[in-house]
């Protein structure tokens, strides 16, 4: 099968759009405890930025830029961060998945103001960390699936 090479217009447009899609995806992940969204939705948006690259460039270009091993490691990192965050709660005497950061005053530990408030990114305890972990997991998993599907293009059934 011949390589899929899109026009310069498509490749340039994809290159211009990708940073905006990435920023929007990270925004959804980081603000998941304050607004609709979270790790899964943000990870899916970030993976969409990679799919945009996959569509715009040839299979060989994608294989050179994004390796399957890197995406597998990203997925593993997200899973390990999620499990580690949950296990730390056991270490500090809380239940599994206990929110051990809430009310500590440090990163993500600021207590939430009572009543209607605009929301503070530095609240939520372990929830923002778990959103990041899930975002990494979804980004890695979806990219591995897309790369696996991409590797099958051109083969005879």
């Amino acid at each position: 099968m011949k390589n899929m090479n899109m026009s310069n217009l498509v490749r340039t447009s994809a290159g211009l759009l990708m940073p905006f899609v990435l920023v929007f995806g990270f925004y959804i992940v980081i603000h998941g405890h304050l607004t609709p969204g979270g790790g899964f939705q943000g990870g899916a948006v970030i993976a969409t930025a990679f799919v945009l690259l996959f569509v715009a460039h040839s299979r060989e270009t994608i294989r050179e830029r994004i390796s399957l091993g890197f995406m597998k490691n990203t997925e593993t990192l997200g899973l390990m961060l999620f499990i580690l965050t949950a296990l730390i709660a056991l270490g500090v005497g809380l239940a599994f998945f206990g929110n051990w950061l809430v009310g500590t005053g440090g990163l993500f530990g600021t207590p939430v103001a009572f009543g209607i408030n605009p929301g503070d990114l530095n609240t939520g305890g372990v929830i923002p960390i778990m959103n990041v972990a899930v975002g990494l997991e979804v980004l890695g998993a979806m990219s591995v699936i897309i790369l696996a599907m991409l590797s099958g293009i051109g083969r005879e059934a």
Side-chain angles (χ1 to χ4, degrees), residues 14 17-22 43-54:
L17 280 174
M18 186 176 177
F20 294 105
V21 175
L22 286 175
V45 170
I46 295 169
T48 302
F50 287 99
V51 171
L52 191 62
L53 278 183
F54 299 163

Side-chain angles (χ1 to χ4, degrees), residues 102 110-115 117 123-124:
V102 71
T110 303
V112 178
F114 183 75
N117 60 68
T123 59

